[in-house]
Amino acid sequence: MMFYSIALVLLLHFISSSSSVRVPLTGNDWSIDDNANHTAQGQVPGTIHTILLAAKKIPDPYMDFNDVDLRFLIHNKWVFTKSFNLSADFLAFNDTYLHLQQIDTVANVTINGCPIGRTDNMFLAYVFTVPNTCLKTENVIQVHFHSPVVYALEQSIIYNRTVQPLCPAKAQQGECHVQFIRKEPCSFSWDWGPAFAPIGITGDIYLEAINASDIIIELESVNIASFDVANKNWLVDVILSSNNAPFSSTLKFVLENTTWTYEIVVPFNRSVTLQIKIPDAQVARWWPNGYGDQVLYRLSVSNKGTTIDSRLIGFRTVELVQHEYGSGINGTSFYFAINSKPIFIKGSNWIPSDVFQERVSDEKLERLLQSAQLAHMNMLRIWGGGIYERDSFYEMTDRLGIMLWHDFMFACSLYPVDDAFLSNVHDEVIYQVKRLQSHPSIVIWAGNNENEAAVAQNWYQIPADQMNRTKDEYRKLYIDTVMTALLEVDKGTNRPFVSSSPSNGLGSIRENYIATNPQDPLQGDVHFYGYQDDSWNPNTYPITRFLSETGIQSLPSLDTWFETTNNQSELTFNSSFILHREHSENQIEAMMTHIQSNLPLPVTNDSLKHFGQMIYLSQIHQAMTLKSISDVCRLHSSVDMIDPKTSEGNTMGLMYWQINDIWQAPTWATIEYGLKWKMGHYFVKHMYAPVYPIATLTPYLANVTDESARILLYIVNELSTNVRGTLVCSVYGLDSFLPRLSFGSDVAMNSSGTQRVADLPYALISRRANCGDNSQCIMHCTFNYNEQSVRQVLLFNRPKNYQLSDPNLKLQAVKPISPTDFDITITADRPALFVWIDIVGNVTGYFSRNGLMMFEPSVTIRFHAWSNITDFSRINFDLRHLSLFDVTLP
Ligand code: BMA
């Protein structure tokens, strides 16, 4: 027996996957046809809309009402066809496979009429065996797509039981039964996105031929599963597979830039899981943005000197710390400790950055992720209604230190739980986790978005007698299927799992994964939306352990709206077109109510100018709301801030909803579809600064006559180092740059945390500063430390109640600094609120500050363009600048 297996090994021919022969099937020579007179030739990877658009067969899907006007396209079946030749050499191989890296979604594939395979999950890669008898010199491959909308409907009928919700809310103008198809949930519409439900071949497609006697070893995954504290070793799980019968092979692992190597004889039987140990002494740690370097190492594996494959990995431990507090404090903590260091999570929620992923460049992803990093974010949540992103996305988050909270793709819905569906989900989880788990940036998996809350709070009005079954089905999907599959491949302690977001974490487990109130502020994470509340008022927010979703909408810039229509009459706040793009019920009205209660409304008769000013006001409203939320979370971050009466506090994370946009619409995003930062994003960059002063007036907007009202000043320090600095605050009227009152103090903080540095009587300060009886004052503070300066502004009144005077803003100079950067100097005669600088034309980038409160006669701001400005003299520096005063002008 022994002799036999050695002989077998000698006979086999070892090759790495790259030495097999591949015939690419991508290219621009595919034709598509729906048998209803819509045909075109075009590019794969591609989907029907992008192919028809490139062939000028349809108008731009993102223009006007085309999302609805072109809807018929996705109700049809489509055939993708390509002719290709194969050489005699290729045909001589024994085994041929068709690889589909991603396909969207339900399709039958044929080659020369032979059935090759069927696909029904866009989150899976497919490898089909192609019988040799089906191949010849001249071939035709056809991919017969079913309509995703019709398929979802058919599956819902076959299922024979209703699965809620049947359809999205009316305002979404979407398609129904999306839970019956394993496809990007938001592609059937969302409350910020359209229903294009793309159809097409969205990843690489190729034929691969190998000889039966060739052994192909593949590196399937690498996971730094645990850290063995006692022995100071990293325990790394490696999964390898082969196409052949049992054999043995000597594998060599090398960790680049270290002296560590490891050789092992591995007995293969299709798949093998190894645990290798890498000594801690060999490596430096990977840290999140703001906490240290993002050190990455290439781990490669080779066989007889031939590299099989490699992964770029990073060494970090992750704990989701959920401990009790003791001494009469209810609930448990919920925070991330990375490399044993507790980290306050500053982040946002990520959605797909386009409906048509094939037109999202890596450059676009990089700019979005850099915008997160520049705003001091350390985590993004890949939200469960979108997609598992492409490989390069995770390479960027690894490199930028942006940790990922990664949902599995289930959102806001009940789901079918028949065997076929569950087995499909099982395969999806295994495939995606193996693909992604080498990335140090992914620090937590979550089962779904809001589905525990949906069941617990009975969002879909399930009758009482069906509730137990609904709960059982919930557990069947997320615990018995998703979690079980995850634990098959992501073992160890370095990547926690929560079954839903929001959930109570351990508390949800104690209640068999469906907590009575998964939104408990004293445990786990919370999603909070209070559209009826006065959202600038910090007291309207729950003080949670971790706020993983919250936010408010605004409108994107005029330039962005110009991309969506040529009909200028549609560009008014309440036009049928804007309402068409507003997919969330009553949001425009809510936005209007909030704007009206806080800000002066435009008085101009020029309708486009009026719209521009409403956009500006909506962005101020969003920015101020986000800042209020962030200030509440950061103020309560330390354990000392736990209120012994309510047990609330120790908020250790904020991820507002949402960072990016899928198209041009009124949404919660802080970065527009075209990458322009809204005012909110500039505010995020400010409010997420690692050392940050917070100023509050308690009660909120207290009356000047309220002798008990207090102004409280705090410094939040996230750095591990001491912070020593000076806090200087001045009270101004809007009529002059001369402060009416100034005071300051030295601050010394020896460790991270929150320190209260002043507690001042508001009424007295108002009197001393001559603010009048309707609070015509604003306090502006600067905290100077380590040659850095962080500002903070405290409004004593709603801006609409201030007597605004003309600041006489002027753009004084534009000075090129480098091929990508220039400085702009703005001057003013008086303080100006929410000064907004915009650049028109084809230069895209971001300013160092924007939406600023100007309390000095001259401010210089830097603009950084995403790409080189080759000729400054030819660029149209048409800069518009605006402050709140402009809104009051006719
Ligand atoms: C949350 C998210 C999304 C949604 C957002 C805004 O519930 O999970 O489903 O887009 O709120 O409504």
Side-chain angles (χ1 to χ4, degrees), residues 190-192 351 381 383 411-412 449-450 459 501 527 529 531 549 584 587 657-658 668:
W190 214 264
D191 59 2
W192 36 256
I351 63 165
R381 169 167 172 251
W383 164 78
C412 301
N449 173 70
E450 298 186 345
W459 292 2
S501 174
H527 294 186
Y529 294 92
Y531 300 127
E549 268 194 32
S584 181
Q587 282 292 337
W657 186 266
Q658 69 204 61
W668 293 257

Side-chain angles (χ1 to χ4, degrees), residues 283-586:
V283 296
R285 300 277 172 124
W286 182 94
W287 285 97
N289 179 30
Y291 288 85
D293 294 337
Q294 289 74 50
V295 187
L296 297 167
Y297 295 89
R298 185 158 293 282
L299 176 71
S300 59
V301 53
S302 59
N303 173 253
K304 299 214 170 98
T306 307
T307 304
I308 294 169
D309 207 346
S310 68
R311 293 286 185 281
L312 204 56
I313 57 176
F315 296 84
R316 87 285 178 276
T317 61
V318 180
E319 290 156 85
L320 181 59
V321 184
Q322 301 178 73
H323 63 64
E324 298 197 349
Y325 292 98
S327 63
I329 303 296
N330 295 325
T332 40
S333 66
F334 190 89
Y335 66 86
F336 290 87
I338 306 297
N339 299 323
S340 303
K341 175 156 184 64
I343 289 190
F344 178 84
I345 298 303
K346 298 180 295 192
S348 184
N349 284 269
W350 174 272
I351 63 165
S353 50
D354 200 302
V355 168
F356 308 111
Q357 283 293 311
E358 62 271 29
R359 65 184 190 184
V360 178
S361 63
D362 276 2
E363 191 176 70
K364 177 169 191 176
L365 293 177
E366 176 100 31
R367 288 172 183 177
L368 280 165
L369 292 170
Q370 272 184 21
S371 299
Q373 191 210 33
L374 286 160
H376 307 287
M377 290 190 195
N378 51 34
M379 186 181 278
L380 289 172
R381 169 167 172 251
I382 309 276
W383 164 78
I387 53 170
Y388 307 91
E389 290 285 339
R390 66 183 74 160
D391 291 344
S392 56
F393 177 94
Y394 302 92
E395 285 156 20
M396 293 175 208
T397 52
D398 288 349
R399 185 157 37 76
L400 295 170
I402 307 288
M403 296 184 284
L404 299 173
W405 170 307
H406 211 307
D407 287 359
F408 289 99
M409 296 305 132
F410 303 90
C412 301
S413 178
L414 304 179
Y415 280 84
V417 289
D418 57 289
D419 291 348
F421 188 86
L422 294 178
S423 132
N424 202 354
V425 168
H426 172 272
D427 293 351
E428 170 187 325
V429 172
I430 299 277
Y431 167 71
Q432 292 295 347
V433 173
K434 280 186 185 171
R435 178 172 77 91
L436 302 176
Q437 65 186 165
S438 58
H439 295 283
S441 53
I442 301 175
V443 295
I444 185 169
W445 301 111
N448 62 67
N449 173 70
E450 298 186 345
N451 292 343
E452 181 184 339
V455 173
Q457 298 164 349
N458 200 5
W459 292 2
Y460 311 119
Q461 285 123 43
I462 304 296
D465 62 343
Q466 287 172 32
M467 209 44 187
N468 278 342
R469 184 170 71 182
T470 303
K471 289 183 174 178
D472 285 345
E473 290 181 349
Y474 175 89
R475 287 183 279 262
K476 206 170 179 183
L477 177 54
Y478 302 110
I479 308 308
D480 304 346
T481 307
V482 171
M483 188 177 88
T484 305
L486 170 66
L487 294 179
E488 272 179 47
V489 283
D490 201 332
K491 304 184 169 85
T493 55
N494 262 343
R495 198 173 276 120
F497 170 78
V498 285
S499 46
S500 186
S501 174
S503 88
N504 290 350
L506 290 178
S508 286
I509 299 177
R510 276 196 296 274
E511 291 192 69
N512 202 8
Y513 295 99
I514 302 166
T516 317
N517 172 23
Q519 295 271 39
D520 186 347
L522 303 185
Q523 33 180 349
D525 65 320
V526 167
H527 294 186
F528 175 80
Y529 294 92
Y531 300 127
Q532 306 311 319
D533 306 333
D534 179 359
S535 65
W536 297 25
N537 178 352
N539 305 322
T540 59
Y541 296 99
I543 297 166
T544 64
R545 300 286 190 238
F546 196 104
L547 196 52
S548 48
E549 268 194 32
T550 184
I552 209 140
Q553 285 198 354
S554 68
L555 267 62
S557 65
L558 260 186
D559 286 351
T560 292
W561 285 113
F562 289 148
E563 289 166 11
T564 64
T565 185
N566 294 320
N567 182 359
Q568 274 213 8
S569 68
E570 286 289 5
L571 295 182
T572 64
F573 196 60
N574 252 325
S575 72
S576 56
F577 178 57
I578 303 297
L579 289 174
H580 173 79
R581 294 256 165 159
E582 172 57 82
H583 278 196
S584 181
E585 220 90 50
N586 306 325

Side-chain angles (χ1 to χ4, degrees), residues 739-790:
R740 296 171 175 209
L741 188 72
S742 281
F743 47 91
S745 72
D746 289 339
V747 179
M749 287 183 77
N750 290 334
S751 59
S752 52
T754 310
Q755 188 168 305
R756 186 197 277 184
V757 290
D759 177 349
L760 309 161
Y762 169 59
L764 186 66
I765 286 184
S766 275
R767 276 198 296 277
R768 290 257 173 90
N770 250 332
C771 297
D773 49 10
N774 58 350
S775 311
Q776 287 299 308
C777 284
I778 291 176
M779 193 172 80
H780 179 260
C781 300
T782 312
F783 184 58
N784 294 306
Y785 74 101
N786 300 351
E787 288 167 28
Q788 306 213 40
S789 186
V790 204

